[in-house]
Amino acid sequence: MAGSYTLTMIKPDAVAKNNIGPILGMINEAGFKIKAMKYTQLTKSQAQEFYAVHKERPFYGELVDFMTSGPIVAAILEKSNAVEDFRKLIGATNPADAAEGTIRKRFAESIQNNAVHGSDSDENAKIEGDFHFSMCERF
Ligand code: GDP
């Protein structure tokens, strides 16, 4: 059965452009509840750990620099079929390929500065939720 939780981050590009509010609005309108949320800035070692799966990719260093360049909003979102439904809501990694009406189509600047993160599996949703939040930060 598909899981009920996913992990999102509103990335530094979207925070810098004052788009936290409109992005959270789209998330709520799509039926996701906020289970945990924080406004924070990743350290270099935290960003390296979060994106460790990409460490062999040529853009890894650039991605870590981008994700530590300013504050982010991290949140655990709750909904049935959360991972798949949230990936649909955010759209393709490259905003040039993102469907109309998706968060990345509306707010992303580039394939890297693409406004939001969304977990890609139930397993990673759990790992990423545990990365950002303790049990007493979840409601
Ligand atoms: P996602 O699951 O849609 O976020 O995409 P990936 O897991 O493939 O990549 C993780 C993140 O790395 C993306 O959201 C982008 O911020 C960044 N990224 C992906 N592909 C590229 C690329 O070709 N170049 C750069 N600079 N960044 C990329």
Side-chain angles (χ1 to χ4, degrees):
M1 201 188 89
S4 306
Y5 301 103
T6 191
L7 184 284
T8 190
M9 294 184 288
I10 302 178
K11 296 186 181 184
D13 59 317
V15 172
K17 288 160 81 178
N18 269 339
N19 285 327
I20 295 172
I23 290 172
L24 290 178
M26 286 179 75
I27 289 171
N28 279 149
E29 276 161 31
F32 292 87
K33 286 188 179 170
I34 292 165
K35 173 121 183 114
M37 175 168 279
K38 67 174 64 160
Y39 192 33
T40 187
Q41 184 160 357
L42 295 175
T43 64
K44 188 172 181 184
S45 67
Q46 284 174 323
Q48 285 171 331
E49 185 186 337
F50 190 92
Y51 284 109
V53 63
H54 293 307
K55 66 172 178 286
E56 306 306 332
R57 312 264 294 264
F59 57 81
Y60 179 64
E62 232 183 306
L63 176 60
V64 168
D65 287 347
F66 163 60
M67 288 301 296
T68 56
S69 66
I72 61 157
V73 175
I76 297 175
L77 305 176
E78 181 174 10
K79 183 183 181 298
S80 62
N81 203 35
V83 166
E84 194 185 332
D85 286 1
F86 193 67
R87 298 285 302 191
K88 273 191 206 141
L89 177 66
I90 68 177
T93 307
N94 187 344
D97 302 327
E100 286 300 332
T102 61
I103 292 175
R104 283 171 167 166
K105 181 73 177 182
R106 190 165 158 201
F107 297 109
E109 296 170 346
S110 67
I111 191 167
Q112 175 182 272
N113 299 14
N114 60 2
V116 282
H117 168 82
S119 307
D120 64 3
S121 66
D122 289 342
E123 186 190 1
N124 284 334
K126 180 174 181 347
I127 292 168
E128 293 172 2
D130 291 346
F131 178 93
H132 280 291
F133 297 99
S134 67
M135 288 320 287
C136 62
E137 294 174 304
R138 303 174 193 212
F139 302 95

